[in-house]
Amino acid sequence: MDHNLEQTVVLLSRTPATLNVLLRDLPDSWTLRYEGPNTWSVFDVIGHLIHGERTDWLPRAKRILQFGESKPFDPFDRFAQERESKGKSLSQLLDEFTALRSENLAELASMKITREDLDRRGVHPALGGVTLSQLLATWAVHDLTHIHQISRIMSYQYRDAVGPWSKFLGVLHCTGHGA
Amino acid sequence: MDHNLEQTVVLLSRTPATLNVLLRDLPDSWTLRYEGPNTWSVFDVIGHLIHGERTDWLPRAKRILQFGESKPFDPFDRFAQERESKGKSLSQLLDEFTALRSENLAELASMKITREDLDRRGVHPALGGVTLSQLLATWAVHDLTHIHQISRIMSYQYRDAVGPWSKFLGVLHCTGHGA
């Protein structure tokens, strides 16, 4: 389907509560373990979502509206959460993500983006030309790709515990598709 | 990690609320669309989870405790939801799933499963010999595999809307791994 800003916002507004219900106060064995070397834990993923709220989505939307194609987006730091999450608890990260998302959606609403605005173009440092519409649709699918990843990281911890059922459980055969 | 019944129950108890927060009252465009012919919508997935609560997990656990390897599990009908969900709304299905999961977890608690019980064996009609421990771990990972699937089905609806970002969004490259 075509991008629909209202339906994007509906999704974006639910992600913090979804992650809260799924994750808050879970035992560390579900939230601090990885899928092997150089992979992320659930804790790392929430830190990454926070960094996106601070530096990626809304700042890039404003960049498009202010500068169009004359000033590319700043590159996104995919490893910032290693620094920024240090010493925090998962509950603190969930609170931080919830507050930032709520502020960002309030600010997005105040921008009163029009149909014409959605077609405005900016420049991604790796992907080249993109539209505001694509950026906002990606914000929502980015949430979903990390819900997808979180379900996979958690499943991985039981990869042996399920025994022969492993072959029926698609999530255990997912490698993340390089994302 | 090894199977831990307490940590399995913690996950199982959260899934209904997670799905409620993520899905209830979403526009139909997120919940009634598929990934192409012969695939499931989010609505279908919730129906499938309901059928599992009724016929799969707890009935199979009881079968193991009562009959061990002398009586294999009944086969699971992966398409029952086509019949059983007919005429219902997504909200009704979410309510039904929530109630059944809650009843099943209460019954599971009342069974007072011991460390020795977890090693008891039953027979799966396709997989052969399995343990009660593996069955219960699979119940939890089965929830996660369907959260994984739901995030993928929803993302698929925006596969074009995200434009060139598609290549960075792993969930858009997931084919479900045959599950």
Side-chain angles (χ1 to χ4, degrees):
Chain A
M1 61 176 169
D2 290 337
H3 179 232
N4 174 314
L5 184 54
E6 205 176 312
Q7 299 198 1
T8 297
V9 169
V10 168
L11 277 197
L12 288 170
S13 65
R14 285 164 181 239
T15 307
T18 302
L19 295 175
N20 261 291
V21 170
L22 180 63
L23 303 174
R24 187 177 290 264
D25 301 324
L26 272 189
D28 290 350
S29 48
W30 288 124
T31 57
L32 294 183
R33 296 192 188 192
Y34 310 91
E35 294 172 281
N38 300 314
T39 65
W40 289 359
S41 67
V42 169
F43 180 85
D44 295 328
V45 174
I46 309 302
H48 165 78
L49 289 171
I50 288 171
H51 192 67
E53 292 304 304
R54 285 197 201 287
T55 70
D56 190 333
W57 311 106
L58 208 59
R60 288 179 171 189
K62 290 193 246 178
R63 177 76 53 98
I64 291 176
L65 292 173
Q66 197 176 352
F67 295 100
E69 293 174 284
S70 69
K71 189 172 174 185
F73 307 149
D74 300 326
F76 182 76
D77 181 355
R78 289 186 65 249
F79 301 97
Q81 66 278 1
E82 290 176 15
R83 280 188 320 275
E84 295 177 356
S85 300
K86 204 162 271 178
K88 295 182 182 167
S89 67
L90 181 63
S91 294
Q92 282 176 291
L93 295 189
L94 289 166
D95 288 342
E96 208 171 325
F97 176 58
T98 302
L100 286 167
R101 174 60 58 89
S102 163
E103 287 163 26
N104 283 340
L105 290 181
E107 188 167 352
L108 183 71
S110 77
M111 288 159 66
K112 303 202 183 307
I113 288 171
T114 64
R115 181 65 248 172
E116 292 67 41
D117 288 336
L118 288 173
D119 290 333
R120 292 184 63 180
R121 301 181 68 80
V123 179
H124 185 284
L127 297 171
V130 293
T131 65
L132 179 59
S133 173
Q134 290 166 345
L135 174 73
L136 297 173
T138 299
W139 191 3
V141 178
H142 182 263
D143 280 5
L144 293 170
T145 208
H146 286 295
I147 291 173
H148 190 254
Q149 180 186 23
I150 285 169
S151 68
R152 193 186 72 226
I153 299 168
M154 292 169 71
S155 298
Y156 182 83
Q157 312 313 321
Y158 264 9
R159 66 196 179 284
D160 296 325
V162 300
W165 265 288
S166 171
K167 78 188 247 200
F168 291 162
L169 295 163
V171 68
L172 292 174
H173 304 280
C174 185
T175 56
H177 318 284
Chain B
M1 62 178 169
D2 290 339
H3 179 230
N4 174 313
L5 184 53
E6 204 175 311
Q7 298 198 1
T8 296
V9 170
V10 169
L11 276 197
L12 288 170
S13 65
R14 285 165 183 239
T15 307
T18 302
L19 295 175
N20 261 290
V21 170
L22 180 63
L23 302 173
R24 187 177 290 263
D25 301 324
L26 272 189
D28 290 351
S29 47
W30 288 123
T31 58
L32 294 183
R33 297 191 188 194
Y34 310 90
E35 296 172 279
N38 301 312
T39 65
W40 290 358
S41 66
V42 169
F43 181 85
D44 295 328
V45 173
I46 309 301
H48 165 77
L49 290 171
I50 288 171
H51 193 68
E53 292 304 303
R54 287 199 201 286
T55 70
D56 189 332
W57 311 106
L58 210 59
R60 287 179 170 189
K62 291 193 245 176
R63 177 74 53 97
I64 291 177
L65 292 173
Q66 198 177 352
F67 295 100
E69 293 174 284
S70 70
K71 189 171 174 186
F73 306 149
D74 300 326
F76 181 76
D77 181 355
R78 289 186 65 251
F79 301 97
Q81 66 276 1
E82 291 176 16
R83 276 191 318 278
E84 295 177 358
S85 301
K86 204 161 273 180
K88 295 182 183 168
S89 68
L90 181 63
S91 294
Q92 282 175 293
L93 295 188
L94 288 166
D95 287 342
E96 208 172 327
F97 176 58
T98 302
L100 286 166
R101 173 60 59 89
S102 164
E103 287 163 25
N104 283 340
L105 290 181
E107 189 166 354
L108 182 71
S110 77
M111 289 160 67
K112 301 199 187 308
I113 288 171
T114 63
R115 181 63 249 173
E116 292 67 41
D117 289 335
L118 287 174
D119 291 332
R120 292 184 64 178
R121 300 182 68 80
V123 178
H124 185 284
L127 297 171
V130 292
T131 65
L132 179 58
S133 173
Q134 289 165 346
L135 173 72
L136 297 173
T138 300
W139 191 3
V141 178
H142 182 264
D143 280 5
L144 293 171
T145 209
H146 286 294
I147 291 174
H148 190 254
Q149 181 186 22
I150 285 170
S151 68
R152 194 186 69 226
I153 299 168
M154 291 169 71
S155 297
Y156 182 83
Q157 312 314 322
Y158 263 9
R159 67 196 178 283
D160 295 325
V162 300
W165 266 288
S166 170
K167 75 187 251 200
F168 291 162
L169 295 163
V171 68
L172 291 174
H173 304 280
C174 185
T175 56
H177 319 285

